[in-house]
Structures are given as C-alpha cells and as structure tokens.
Amino acid sequence: MASTSILCINDALTDDELRSILAKVDTDKDKETFGLVCKRWLRLQSTERKKLAARAGTHMLRKMADRFTRLVELDLAQSVSRSFFPGVTDSDLAVVANGFTCLRVLNLHNCKGITDVGMKAIGDGLSLLQSLDVSYCRKLTDKGLSAVAEGCCDLRVLHLAGCRFVSDGILEALSKNCHKLEELGLQGCINITDNGLINLGSGCKQIKFLDLNKCSNVSDAGVSSISKACSSSLKTLKLLDCYKIGDETILSLAKFCDNLETLIIGGCRDVSDDAIKSLATACRTNLKNLRMDWCLNISDSSLSCILSQCRNLEALDIACCEEVSDAAFQNIGSGEPGLNLKILKVSNCPKITVTGIGILVGKCACLEYLDVRSCPHITKAGLDEAGFDFPQCCKVNFNGSISEPIELL
C-alpha cells in the first residue's frame, strides 16, 4: 500500500500568498485568530496590522514597534476619566517617532504631560504623518508644533483644541510647509488673530474644515480672508462665540463659498437678516447644518428665507432668537416638497407657538429631534391636544431630560 504524504500549508504557501489570504479576512477579531495559528502567521498578522490603540509606557511601546512594523494609525489618547494616570510622556513620543516610521495618523488627545520636546521628536521622525490630534495638550506652544509642521509636510489634519499657548506662529508655519492641509481645529485658541488667519490662507488653500469656536480674537478680516483663499474647498466653518464676527464674514461666505455645508455662528450677535438671506440664497443647494443660536438680530424674514431656499438643510439651531415667530413658517407652502430637517432647536424662542411647530412637523417627515425648552407657548399637553402626527422616531425635548444629538454641539 502506497504511503500518502501530508503537505503542510506553511510549506506550500509563501509569505506573500499568506498575506493575500489575510487581506481577505474582514474583521479584526478574525485577523487576531489568524495570528494564533502559529508563530509565522502571528508575525505576518503583526506586520500587516494597520491600526492600534494602546496605553503609554516606553517599554511597551518599544515592544509594539518591533512587532507592528507597518502600523499606520496609533491611538494613545487619554480619556478624561483617567486624568489621574500619567499618560504619554516625551520619552514615549521619542519611541513612537523612532519605531513607527510608517505612521500616518497619531492621536494624542488629552495627553497633558507632553511638551514641545515630544513634538520636536515627532517632527524629526514621522515625515509621513498626515493626521495629528493634540487637543487639550496644554503645555504645547508654537515652537513644538512648528517643528511638526516643518517635518511633516504632508500633514492634512491637525487638531489643537484647548492648546491655550498656541498663537499665530503655528499658522505661519503651516502656511509655509503644509500646503495640503484640509482640516484644522483651533477651538479655544484665544491667541489666534486675524493676522494668523491671513497668513494661513496665503499657503493653505485646500482647507475643508476649520474650527474657530471660542477664538475670541478673530474678526471679519481674518475669516473673510480664509473664505476667499479656500473658496473651492471650504465645507465646514465653526465660529461659536466669536463675538467680533459680523455681516462681512457672512457676505464673504455667500460670495465665495457656495459649497459650504456646515456653519456655526452661535453667539455672533452682530449678524443681520440681510446677510443670512444672502448666505441662504448662495448656499441653498449644499447647506446642511446651520447653528445661529443667540444671533439676536435674526427674525422671521431670514428664517423664512432659509427654510424656503435651503431644502437640503438637516440641522437648524435658532435657540434664543427671540424675534422669531410663527410667521417664519407661514411661507412653507403646501405645494413645496418636504424639508429634510432631522434636528430642530427652537429653545427660548418665546414667540413660537404650537401653530408654528405644527406647520413644521407637517413638512418634516424625517424629524428626529425637536428642542422646545423654555418656549412658554409650547407644552406637551398643548401638542397632544393639537394631535400633531410626529414622525415615529422623533424625540421632543421639553425640559432637558433628553440627551442632545452631537450635531451642532
């Protein structure tokens, strides 16, 4: 009887063939299982891993760098609930810069211990980096972040929210070195001024997302320069509590940025009806999210224009716009197609009543969240008595007991 030989799969397949098999495995869990077969498969699985979330620690990071040699995305972010934990240090960043040379995405959100020394290491070692989040890393200054801009010229995404020592210097460095920048978060960077934004726009003309929330020292001159420089790309602009912003910014957006999808101008109290009408007309096809709570000059005429022109609007916040009344909704004609609104916030609008809400509900079949807190003429009993047919999935917030959706926050 002839003997039959058993062929081992490791003898039959090359590393490249095994990598092709691994590439067809869908879930991370199944990829981990692949690595449990044998040491060879574990080595291949490790070298092909692209994403990793980990805790800090120099020794552990060195081990991971040796194992995950082709890592593209590394998440070392620290949660607020673990603020007592020492977190990432400059020494850890030196290991990251030397060991993960293929890295494209690095998340250091809330890693409060790192300084400019660690940023210089990142700039020197990670030339392929495209996305960096150092939000709430409060020790960082222009010096360290400029080193990142100079060393990581392919940077596309940079988030600096809460970095209180950041000023116009980083914007100048980005303008000179990072011409592919698309997303920049500067929330709460109060030392950013118009000069910085003007410099930024001179070199970075592909910005799609710009968050200037609570940047209280920027005004129309700086933001208008960005809208002109990035006219073909800008889609999201956040200006919450930028109290120096007025009509000039809104009119500049209307003139240059008809691709705008999201605009947050809550707290910009100098914005007028006429400017909002111009914006609604110019951006009527693309505008999806509009937050203008506490814009005290907004009245029925501009809101009516928004609702009639911006038929693709999905989220609208007009909280504390005290002059808005039911009349704003009267021009939503029965012959017009329905609105796509999913989120509507009208809290603290004392002139809006059940009648106005009824008109809106009749035109918003997709409505998911309605905020009517502190509207004295809108109560649960009043809506029940009127018998409005709310969409089944719609949540109505009367007193703050319902968590708000993340849109527009």
Side-chain angles (χ1 to χ4, degrees):
M1 182 176 180
S3 62
T4 58
S5 60
I6 300 176
L7 183 64
C8 176
I9 189 172
N10 278 337
D11 295 330
L13 299 180
T14 66
D15 282 359
D16 286 341
E17 288 169 333
L18 283 172
R19 287 192 180 97
S20 297
I21 294 172
L22 178 60
K24 297 181 183 300
V25 177
D26 293 329
T27 68
D28 289 339
K29 183 178 180 181
D30 288 341
K31 290 180 187 292
E32 295 289 346
T33 304
F34 178 97
L36 295 176
V37 173
C38 63
K39 289 183 177 180
R40 182 189 179 200
W41 287 32
L42 176 62
R43 174 178 59 81
L44 290 173
Q45 182 261 334
S46 298
T47 57
E48 289 302 300
R49 182 158 183 167
K50 303 301 181 185
K51 298 181 181 181
L52 181 66
R55 297 271 177 85
T58 304
H59 180 66
M60 182 61 69
L61 285 170
R62 285 198 183 100
K63 283 190 171 183
M64 290 189 294
D66 290 339
R67 179 180 173 186
F68 304 113
T69 56
R70 299 185 184 184
L71 201 70
V72 172
E73 183 173 340
L74 179 60
D75 186 352
L76 296 174
Q78 187 173 342
S79 67
V80 176
S81 63
R82 289 183 56 83
S83 59
F84 63 89
F85 187 73
V88 179
T89 66
D90 290 334
S91 297
D92 296 332
L93 293 187
V95 173
V96 170
N98 292 324
F100 296 99
T101 55
C102 295
L103 214 58
R104 303 291 199 281
V105 179
L106 178 59
N107 186 357
L108 299 170
H109 186 103
N110 208 40
C111 294
K112 298 177 181 178
I114 61 177
T115 71
D116 289 339
V117 174
M119 288 297 99
K120 187 177 186 307
I122 295 300
D124 290 342
L126 299 180
S127 61
L128 300 178
L129 196 67
Q130 295 182 359
S131 176
L132 176 65
D133 188 343
V134 289
S135 298
Y136 305 102
C137 299
R138 301 185 187 277
K139 296 180 180 180
L140 300 183
T141 72
D142 290 347
K143 181 179 179 181
L145 292 166
S146 293
V148 172
E150 292 166 9
C152 308
C153 295
D154 202 29
L155 203 65
R156 315 290 176 88
V157 177
L158 179 61
H159 284 276
L160 305 174
C163 295
R164 57 190 174 185
F165 296 124
V166 166
S167 66
D168 292 341
I170 179 58
L171 301 189
E172 184 177 355
L174 290 170
S175 178
K176 288 180 179 178
N177 300 285
C178 303
H179 299 155
K180 297 179 182 178
L181 190 70
E182 296 180 353
E183 186 170 319
L184 180 60
L186 296 169
Q187 178 177 323
C189 296
I190 59 174
N191 293 313
I192 297 296
T193 71
D194 290 337
N195 288 334
L197 294 179
I198 292 169
N199 274 333
L200 179 69
S202 67
C204 300
K205 299 181 182 298
Q206 299 180 31
I207 296 176
K208 298 178 180 179
F209 174 102
L210 181 60
D211 185 350
L212 295 171
N213 283 350
K214 301 183 183 298
C215 291
S216 54
N217 282 312
V218 302
S219 68
D220 289 330
V223 180
S224 295
S225 71
I226 289 290
S227 65
K228 186 175 181 179
C230 304
S231 59
S232 61
S233 59
L234 191 63
K235 291 187 176 182
T236 296
L237 180 60
K238 299 185 177 184
L239 299 167
L240 181 67
D241 291 337
C242 295
Y243 64 89
K244 295 181 180 179
I245 295 297
D247 283 355
E248 183 181 337
T249 290
I250 306 303
L251 293 172
S252 179
L253 291 169
K255 182 176 180 180
F256 297 110
C257 301
D258 56 2
N259 290 322
L260 195 68
E261 295 180 358
T262 296
L263 178 62
I264 293 180
I265 51 172
C268 298
R269 302 190 179 194
D270 292 333
V271 173
S272 72
D273 271 338
D274 289 341
I276 291 297
K277 290 177 188 177
S278 296
L279 180 78
T281 302
C283 303
R284 60 185 179 276
T285 302
N286 295 307
L287 195 63
K288 293 181 180 179
N289 305 288
L290 178 60
R291 175 176 176 179
M292 49 183 189
D293 51 316
W294 287 103
C295 291
L296 301 183
N297 292 322
I298 298 304
S299 66
D300 292 335
S301 62
S302 57
L303 181 56
S304 178
C305 183
I306 290 167
L307 294 173
S308 61
Q309 295 282 345
C310 305
R311 309 300 291 193
N312 293 317
L313 197 66
E314 295 180 358
L316 176 63
D317 185 349
I318 55 168
C320 302
C321 294
E322 297 180 350
E323 295 304 311
V324 173
S325 71
D326 293 343
F329 313 124
Q330 298 295 335
N331 292 329
I332 308 177
S334 58
E336 296 288 340
L339 299 173
N340 288 324
L341 269 180
K342 298 178 181 179
I343 299 168
L344 177 62
K345 299 183 180 183
V346 296
S347 60
N348 288 288
C349 293
K351 294 183 180 181
I352 296 179
T353 72
V354 171
T355 301
I357 295 300
I359 297 172
L360 272 175
V361 169
K363 299 297 292 185
C364 299
C366 301
L367 197 64
E368 298 174 1
Y369 178 86
L370 173 64
D371 184 355
V372 292
R373 289 174 293 174
S374 300
C375 293
H377 301 296
I378 305 173
T379 62
K380 188 175 188 305
L383 290 178
D384 289 341
E385 183 179 344
F388 295 135
D389 188 16
F390 281 92
Q392 187 174 3
C393 63
C394 183
K395 298 177 180 179
V396 184
N397 195 347
F398 292 99
N399 53 24
S401 60
I402 299 174
S403 60
E404 297 189 46
I406 60 172
E407 289 86 349
L408 299 180
L409 296 179

